[in-house]
Amino acid sequence: MAENLIYIHLEDVSHLVASYGITHLDFVNSLTKMPAHLLLLTPVDEEQMVDSHTGFNVISGDHEIRSYLLNRHMRQQKWIDYRRTLYLDEVTPNEIAEMLYLGHMYTQLQSPFYYKLENDFVYLDLPEGMTKVYYRHLNQFETVFNTALLHHLRTREIEMRFWMRLRQDHLQPLSHENLVELVPVMEEGLLLPFTDVQFKPGELQIPFFRMKKRFVVNDDDWTRSQSEMLGFLVFDRHARQWHIRWQA
């Protein structure tokens, strides 16, 4: 189902985005620069580098970090970035316990942004296929969302005529104003099904829905009783920009 839709649930206060259909490749391709270091919240691999103070596996070096983040075969990624190796020795036992809880339960006890780590992200792949990402700067999610949106559109398996005509369009990202308009829906649960993309003269339309019940992975019956259609994301092919068309 991930190839057919994007689901987003935003928790603005905690700077948390839970999503489905946004891959780790979408996330990595949105980064302006690679993290300096990664502290892994996955089970410890004694054959890999282990930080003696925290007991977690760590990854350093641009090539090593890039290889880890872009690994297409890894089932789950769980990590916190950090800026300086020196400060790892100052992480307290309580903070280590919080990180263990975060990696095991996929939710925070306290703020997941640590003064000593200076981390910008906490990235958690959930077992059922969803992903949770904490963003120190929540506006960084805008780029991730746009990367995933355009990725889904470009790879959508629809009829060749649509595909060839769409390829000729220079699809632009949604603006900050577009995404701010969608925030109230994201806070309840926004769903974009790419099986229902419509290509009309002069514009491209993606219907969007508000989930009325908890989103369940691999539930293909979401359109009936679990969601409410609110409108369309519309790309004007002549103006080359997006706008939101709300249903009356």
Side-chain angles (χ1 to χ4, degrees):
M1 188 166 66
E3 68 275 10
N4 295 329
L5 63 85
I6 288 176
Y7 168 76
I8 297 168
H9 183 263
L10 169 68
E11 294 182 15
D12 185 58
V13 174
S14 57
H15 284 212
L16 170 65
V17 177
S19 66
Y20 187 76
I22 298 178
T23 69
H24 69 278
L25 296 178
D26 294 324
F27 177 85
V28 174
N29 288 332
S30 304
L31 295 175
T32 55
K33 63 178 181 178
M34 287 290 124
H37 309 275
L38 298 182
L39 185 151
L40 305 188
L41 302 180
T42 46
V44 175
D45 182 351
E46 297 293 347
E47 295 184 1
Q48 303 298 322
M49 185 178 295
V50 178
D51 174 64
S52 59
H53 177 68
T54 63
F56 293 109
N57 285 123
V58 293
I59 302 178
S60 298
D62 185 76
H63 175 74
E64 289 77 8
I65 289 173
R66 188 178 297 273
S67 296
Y68 174 81
L69 294 180
L70 293 176
N71 188 336
R72 296 175 180 268
H73 304 293
M74 189 174 299
R75 288 189 59 191
Q76 282 188 290
Q77 293 192 7
K78 295 190 290 184
W79 53 266
I80 299 176
D81 67 297
Y82 63 98
R83 295 194 184 184
R84 296 176 179 85
T85 301
L86 178 66
Y87 291 166
L88 276 185
D89 291 339
E90 299 184 18
V91 174
T92 67
N94 281 344
E95 289 171 333
I96 294 172
E98 289 174 10
M99 294 178 203
L100 285 168
Y101 185 87
L102 185 59
H104 182 66
M105 298 301 295
Y106 304 98
T107 189
Q108 80 278 11
L109 289 171
Q110 303 291 335
S111 169
F113 301 108
Y114 296 93
Y115 171 74
K116 301 177 184 72
L117 300 183
E118 298 182 84
N119 61 305
D120 289 320
F121 309 104
V122 177
Y123 189 98
L124 304 167
D125 281 330
L126 277 61
E128 69 271 21
M130 292 189 65
T131 299
K132 285 186 174 182
V133 182
Y134 292 88
Y135 295 84
R136 181 182 291 272
H137 306 289
L138 194 53
N139 61 354
Q140 290 179 302
F141 174 65
E142 295 184 9
T143 307
V144 177
F145 177 85
N146 274 309
T147 299
L149 177 73
L150 298 182
H151 167 247
H152 274 274
L153 285 173
R154 291 298 187 193
T155 58
R156 177 74 182 98
E157 293 181 1
I158 50 182
E159 65 271 16
M160 183 60 68
R161 181 181 175 208
F162 171 90
W163 171 257
M164 293 301 292
R165 294 179 67 183
L166 180 58
R167 292 278 294 183
Q168 295 172 11
D169 286 332
H170 298 287
L171 293 175
Q172 303 298 312
L174 272 72
S175 67
H176 172 72
E177 291 72 22
N178 293 149
L179 291 167
V180 167
E181 195 172 350
L182 288 173
V183 163
V185 187
M186 292 183 184
E187 290 176 338
E188 295 187 71
L190 168 70
L191 191 143
L192 299 169
F194 292 90
T195 50
D196 296 339
V197 169
Q198 300 177 28
F199 190 75
K200 297 189 175 183
E203 65 182 33
L204 167 70
Q205 298 180 356
I206 309 171
F208 65 91
F209 295 74
R210 175 181 65 86
M211 293 296 295
K212 297 189 290 186
K213 296 183 179 180
R214 179 178 175 272
F215 176 77
V216 178
V217 175
N218 294 326
D219 183 355
D220 294 323
D221 195 33
W222 57 265
T223 57
R224 299 180 183 177
S225 61
Q226 301 180 30
S227 64
E228 174 188 6
M229 183 175 172
L230 297 181
F232 294 88
L233 302 185
V234 180
F235 180 71
D236 186 318
R237 297 179 62 223
H238 301 297
R240 292 177 56 188
Q241 62 184 14
W242 293 90
H243 63 273
I244 299 171
R245 182 177 298 154
W246 297 92
Q247 284 210 134

